[in-house]
Amino acid sequence: MMNASLTRRAVLAVFFACASLLSAGAAVAEKTKVAAIYTLPVEQQWISRIHKALNAAAERGDIDYVFSENVANTDYERVMREYAEQGQQLIVGEVFGLERAARKVAKDYPGTAFLMGSSFGPVAPNFSVFDNWIHEPSYLSGMVAGAATESNVIGMVGGYAIPEVNRLMHAFMDGAREVNPDVKFIVNFIDSWYDPPKAKESAFAMMDAGADVMYAERFGVSDAAVERGVKAVGNVIDTSGDYPGTIMASALWHMEATIDKAVANVAGGSFEAADYGQYSFMAYGGGSLVMDEGLVSAETAAAVKAREAEILDGLFRVNVNDARPVSDN
């Protein structure tokens, strides 16, 4: 005959085992379902930062993450609706070319949270916006460039003249002027987010006109800088490993603070229409400067670090200018 205490222990063991399984199942179920929609490959610098942050959240076990890349603007609305119909709780993307369509989708799915890169504001109850507000590290990178140029001419190649690009360029220019009031700029937009040959050609033309430091907002510019033996400053991502001896500094965008805040709000049931732009500020860890001090003078490095400390302490504010930057006469 089975011992009664053994029977009780066996029953308790089964009970706790089942409880553990149920708890594990609940933990899996608690993951927030997140989908992202990208108009370009995830390798593209701007998009890569969002993708990196979402992958980090997925690796921690906070979210279940799926994504679609290379989605044409004409298909974007359809993909948004498909993800909403699938029960994705948070949909992330960028809607600069289709603001009206994206906002209509959000209105049709009030129970789904949307977090979209946008030039405009949020819309209640569920359409939130973000942007890469890295004007602060862009200013610091401009200080590096302004101190480095010997010809006093800096070339700047951009994608499109939209506020998100313009404000970073202006901040860079202001930083360069702080340390070098005589600096001049040659500015050109290639009207493409990804056309390295065209960006490279534009950079060569600027170098022919005297530029000896390049602002590499687009892929292709740093390649031109390497070929001509001039220095460059990067944007959004750190490409110094690919261009050693060329990239003096880069203004980096870190999307983790923005993504983590949005995911936490969705998981906690508190997500609402808001502007998440502030989470790209340096104070939130959303932006930073990386500097190759082997290519930057000790005096310049010290000045940049001092200004960076003032920004973080709230003692210096970088001006925001969304107007299209133009070349100096």
Side-chain angles (χ1 to χ4, degrees), residues 148-161:
T149 179
E150 296 179 359
S151 67
N152 285 336
V153 179
I154 295 176
M156 305 183 70
V157 180
Y160 290 94

mmCIF file with all atom_site columns, all heavy atoms in Angstrom, residues 148-161:
data_model
loop_
_atom_site.group_PDB
_atom_site.id
_atom_site.type_symbol
_atom_site.label_atom_id
_atom_site.label_alt_id
_atom_site.label_comp_id
_atom_site.label_asym_id
_atom_site.label_entity_id
_atom_site.label_seq_id
_atom_site.pdbx_PDB_ins_code
_atom_site.Cartn_x
_atom_site.Cartn_y
_atom_site.Cartn_z
_atom_site.occupancy
_atom_site.B_iso_or_equiv
_atom_site.pdbx_formal_charge
_atom_site.auth_seq_id
_atom_site.auth_comp_id
_atom_site.auth_asym_id
_atom_site.auth_atom_id
_atom_site.pdbx_PDB_model_num
ATOM 1  N N   . ALA A 1 148 ? 39.107 70.880 -38.148 1.00 0.00 ? 148 ALA A N   1
ATOM 2  C CA  . ALA A 1 148 ? 40.006 70.067 -38.980 1.00 0.00 ? 148 ALA A CA  1
ATOM 3  C C   . ALA A 1 148 ? 40.259 70.646 -40.366 1.00 0.00 ? 148 ALA A C   1
ATOM 4  O O   . ALA A 1 148 ? 41.323 70.423 -40.946 1.00 0.00 ? 148 ALA A O   1
ATOM 5  C CB  . ALA A 1 148 ? 39.427 68.659 -39.132 1.00 0.00 ? 148 ALA A CB  1
ATOM 6  N N   . THR A 1 149 ? 39.287 71.382 -40.908 1.00 0.00 ? 149 THR A N   1
ATOM 7  C CA  . THR A 1 149 ? 39.456 71.850 -42.278 1.00 0.00 ? 149 THR A CA  1
ATOM 8  C C   . THR A 1 149 ? 40.597 72.859 -42.389 1.00 0.00 ? 149 THR A C   1
ATOM 9  O O   . THR A 1 149 ? 40.738 73.758 -41.559 1.00 0.00 ? 149 THR A O   1
ATOM 10 C CB  . THR A 1 149 ? 38.154 72.480 -42.814 1.00 0.00 ? 149 THR A CB  1
ATOM 11 O OG1 . THR A 1 149 ? 38.379 72.952 -44.147 1.00 0.00 ? 149 THR A OG1 1
ATOM 12 C CG2 . THR A 1 149 ? 37.685 73.631 -41.937 1.00 0.00 ? 149 THR A CG2 1
ATOM 13 N N   . GLU A 1 150 ? 41.419 72.702 -43.416 1.00 0.00 ? 150 GLU A N   1
ATOM 14 C CA  . GLU A 1 150 ? 42.507 73.638 -43.695 1.00 0.00 ? 150 GLU A CA  1
ATOM 15 C C   . GLU A 1 150 ? 42.145 74.593 -44.826 1.00 0.00 ? 150 GLU A C   1
ATOM 16 O O   . GLU A 1 150 ? 42.618 75.720 -44.882 1.00 0.00 ? 150 GLU A O   1
ATOM 17 C CB  . GLU A 1 150 ? 43.779 72.860 -44.044 1.00 0.00 ? 150 GLU A CB  1
ATOM 18 C CG  . GLU A 1 150 ? 44.297 72.010 -42.894 1.00 0.00 ? 150 GLU A CG  1
ATOM 19 C CD  . GLU A 1 150 ? 45.551 71.231 -43.251 1.00 0.00 ? 150 GLU A CD  1
ATOM 20 O OE1 . GLU A 1 150 ? 46.013 71.350 -44.411 1.00 0.00 ? 150 GLU A OE1 1
ATOM 21 O OE2 . GLU A 1 150 ? 46.069 70.514 -42.380 1.00 0.00 ? 150 GLU A OE2 1
ATOM 22 N N   . SER A 1 151 ? 41.265 74.130 -45.709 1.00 0.00 ? 151 SER A N   1
ATOM 23 C CA  . SER A 1 151 ? 40.824 74.979 -46.814 1.00 0.00 ? 151 SER A CA  1
ATOM 24 C C   . SER A 1 151 ? 39.661 75.874 -46.408 1.00 0.00 ? 151 SER A C   1
ATOM 25 O O   . SER A 1 151 ? 39.264 76.771 -47.159 1.00 0.00 ? 151 SER A O   1
ATOM 26 C CB  . SER A 1 151 ? 40.396 74.109 -47.998 1.00 0.00 ? 151 SER A CB  1
ATOM 27 O OG  . SER A 1 151 ? 39.229 73.357 -47.681 1.00 0.00 ? 151 SER A OG  1
ATOM 28 N N   . ASN A 1 152 ? 39.084 75.593 -45.223 1.00 0.00 ? 152 ASN A N   1
ATOM 29 C CA  . ASN A 1 152 ? 37.889 76.291 -44.736 1.00 0.00 ? 152 ASN A CA  1
ATOM 30 C C   . ASN A 1 152 ? 36.678 76.039 -45.632 1.00 0.00 ? 152 ASN A C   1
ATOM 31 O O   . ASN A 1 152 ? 35.759 76.863 -45.698 1.00 0.00 ? 152 ASN A O   1
ATOM 32 C CB  . ASN A 1 152 ? 38.138 77.795 -44.591 1.00 0.00 ? 152 ASN A CB  1
ATOM 33 C CG  . ASN A 1 152 ? 38.989 78.122 -43.382 1.00 0.00 ? 152 ASN A CG  1
ATOM 34 O OD1 . ASN A 1 152 ? 39.040 77.353 -42.426 1.00 0.00 ? 152 ASN A OD1 1
ATOM 35 N ND2 . ASN A 1 152 ? 39.687 79.245 -43.426 1.00 0.00 ? 152 ASN A ND2 1
ATOM 36 N N   . VAL A 1 153 ? 36.676 74.894 -46.304 1.00 0.00 ? 153 VAL A N   1
ATOM 37 C CA  . VAL A 1 153 ? 35.529 74.490 -47.134 1.00 0.00 ? 153 VAL A CA  1
ATOM 38 C C   . VAL A 1 153 ? 35.141 73.071 -46.738 1.00 0.00 ? 153 VAL A C   1
ATOM 39 O O   . VAL A 1 153 ? 35.964 72.153 -46.788 1.00 0.00 ? 153 VAL A O   1
ATOM 40 C CB  . VAL A 1 153 ? 35.851 74.541 -48.639 1.00 0.00 ? 153 VAL A CB  1
ATOM 41 C CG1 . VAL A 1 153 ? 34.638 74.097 -49.450 1.00 0.00 ? 153 VAL A CG1 1
ATOM 42 C CG2 . VAL A 1 153 ? 36.286 75.941 -49.043 1.00 0.00 ? 153 VAL A CG2 1
ATOM 43 N N   . ILE A 1 154 ? 33.879 72.903 -46.361 1.00 0.00 ? 154 ILE A N   1
ATOM 44 C CA  . ILE A 1 154 ? 33.334 71.590 -45.985 1.00 0.00 ? 154 ILE A CA  1
ATOM 45 C C   . ILE A 1 154 ? 32.232 71.222 -46.964 1.00 0.00 ? 154 ILE A C   1
ATOM 46 O O   . ILE A 1 154 ? 31.345 72.037 -47.252 1.00 0.00 ? 154 ILE A O   1
ATOM 47 C CB  . ILE A 1 154 ? 32.788 71.603 -44.550 1.00 0.00 ? 154 ILE A CB  1
ATOM 48 C CG1 . ILE A 1 154 ? 33.926 71.846 -43.554 1.00 0.00 ? 154 ILE A CG1 1
ATOM 49 C CG2 . ILE A 1 154 ? 32.077 70.285 -44.223 1.00 0.00 ? 154 ILE A CG2 1
ATOM 50 C CD1 . ILE A 1 154 ? 33.463 71.959 -42.103 1.00 0.00 ? 154 ILE A CD1 1
ATOM 51 N N   . GLY A 1 155 ? 32.284 70.019 -47.483 1.00 0.00 ? 155 GLY A N   1
ATOM 52 C CA  . GLY A 1 155 ? 31.249 69.527 -48.391 1.00 0.00 ? 155 GLY A CA  1
ATOM 53 C C   . GLY A 1 155 ? 30.193 68.728 -47.643 1.00 0.00 ? 155 GLY A C   1
ATOM 54 O O   . GLY A 1 155 ? 30.518 67.959 -46.740 1.00 0.00 ? 155 GLY A O   1
ATOM 55 N N   . MET A 1 156 ? 28.932 68.906 -48.038 1.00 0.00 ? 156 MET A N   1
ATOM 56 C CA  . MET A 1 156 ? 27.821 68.237 -47.358 1.00 0.00 ? 156 MET A CA  1
ATOM 57 C C   . MET A 1 156 ? 26.884 67.613 -48.391 1.00 0.00 ? 156 MET A C   1
ATOM 58 O O   . MET A 1 156 ? 26.249 68.329 -49.175 1.00 0.00 ? 156 MET A O   1
ATOM 59 C CB  . MET A 1 156 ? 27.052 69.222 -46.483 1.00 0.00 ? 156 MET A CB  1
ATOM 60 C CG  . MET A 1 156 ? 27.924 69.957 -45.475 1.00 0.00 ? 156 MET A CG  1
ATOM 61 S SD  . MET A 1 156 ? 26.974 71.050 -44.394 1.00 0.00 ? 156 MET A SD  1
ATOM 62 C CE  . MET A 1 156 ? 26.078 69.855 -43.389 1.00 0.00 ? 156 MET A CE  1
ATOM 63 N N   . VAL A 1 157 ? 26.800 66.290 -48.388 1.00 0.00 ? 157 VAL A N   1
ATOM 64 C CA  . VAL A 1 157 ? 25.925 65.569 -49.312 1.00 0.00 ? 157 VAL A CA  1
ATOM 65 C C   . VAL A 1 157 ? 24.782 64.955 -48.515 1.00 0.00 ? 157 VAL A C   1
ATOM 66 O O   . VAL A 1 157 ? 25.004 64.146 -47.608 1.00 0.00 ? 157 VAL A O   1
ATOM 67 C CB  . VAL A 1 157 ? 26.692 64.464 -50.057 1.00 0.00 ? 157 VAL A CB  1
ATOM 68 C CG1 . VAL A 1 157 ? 25.752 63.720 -51.008 1.00 0.00 ? 157 VAL A CG1 1
ATOM 69 C CG2 . VAL A 1 157 ? 27.875 65.052 -50.813 1.00 0.00 ? 157 VAL A CG2 1
ATOM 70 N N   . GLY A 1 158 ? 23.549 65.336 -48.857 1.00 0.00 ? 158 GLY A N   1
ATOM 71 C CA  . GLY A 1 158 ? 22.374 64.822 -48.174 1.00 0.00 ? 158 GLY A CA  1
ATOM 72 C C   . GLY A 1 158 ? 21.482 64.029 -49.101 1.00 0.00 ? 158 GLY A C   1
ATOM 73 O O   . GLY A 1 158 ? 21.660 64.046 -50.321 1.00 0.00 ? 158 GLY A O   1
ATOM 74 N N   . GLY A 1 159 ? 20.509 63.339 -48.513 1.00 0.00 ? 159 GLY A N   1
ATOM 75 C CA  . GLY A 1 159 ? 19.544 62.573 -49.296 1.00 0.00 ? 159 GLY A CA  1
ATOM 76 C C   . GLY A 1 159 ? 18.449 63.479 -49.845 1.00 0.00 ? 159 GLY A C   1
ATOM 77 O O   . GLY A 1 159 ? 18.461 63.879 -51.009 1.00 0.00 ? 159 GLY A O   1
ATOM 78 N N   . TYR A 1 160 ? 17.482 63.783 -48.987 1.00 0.00 ? 160 TYR A N   1
ATOM 79 C CA  . TYR A 1 160 ? 16.402 64.698 -49.339 1.00 0.00 ? 160 TYR A CA  1
ATOM 80 C C   . TYR A 1 160 ? 16.407 65.868 -48.356 1.00 0.00 ? 160 TYR A C   1
ATOM 81 O O   . TYR A 1 160 ? 16.750 65.700 -47.180 1.00 0.00 ? 160 TYR A O   1
ATOM 82 C CB  . TYR A 1 160 ? 15.039 64.008 -49.257 1.00 0.00 ? 160 TYR A CB  1
ATOM 83 C CG  . TYR A 1 160 ? 14.787 62.979 -50.326 1.00 0.00 ? 160 TYR A CG  1
ATOM 84 C CD1 . TYR A 1 160 ? 15.064 61.633 -50.086 1.00 0.00 ? 160 TYR A CD1 1
ATOM 85 C CD2 . TYR A 1 160 ? 14.254 63.337 -51.567 1.00 0.00 ? 160 TYR A CD2 1
ATOM 86 C CE1 . TYR A 1 160 ? 14.819 60.659 -51.057 1.00 0.00 ? 160 TYR A CE1 1
ATOM 87 C CE2 . TYR A 1 160 ? 14.015 62.388 -52.538 1.00 0.00 ? 160 TYR A CE2 1
ATOM 88 C CZ  . TYR A 1 160 ? 14.297 61.057 -52.278 1.00 0.00 ? 160 TYR A CZ  1
ATOM 89 O OH  . TYR A 1 160 ? 14.058 60.108 -53.239 1.00 0.00 ? 160 TYR A OH  1
ATOM 90 N N   . ALA A 1 161 ? 15.989 67.027 -48.821 1.00 0.00 ? 161 ALA A N   1
ATOM 91 C CA  . ALA A 1 161 ? 15.949 68.219 -47.967 1.00 0.00 ? 161 ALA A CA  1
ATOM 92 C C   . ALA A 1 161 ? 14.658 68.242 -47.152 1.00 0.00 ? 161 ALA A C   1
ATOM 93 O O   . ALA A 1 161 ? 13.792 69.090 -47.331 1.00 0.00 ? 161 ALA A O   1
ATOM 94 C CB  . ALA A 1 161 ? 16.078 69.484 -48.811 1.00 0.00 ? 161 ALA A CB  1
#
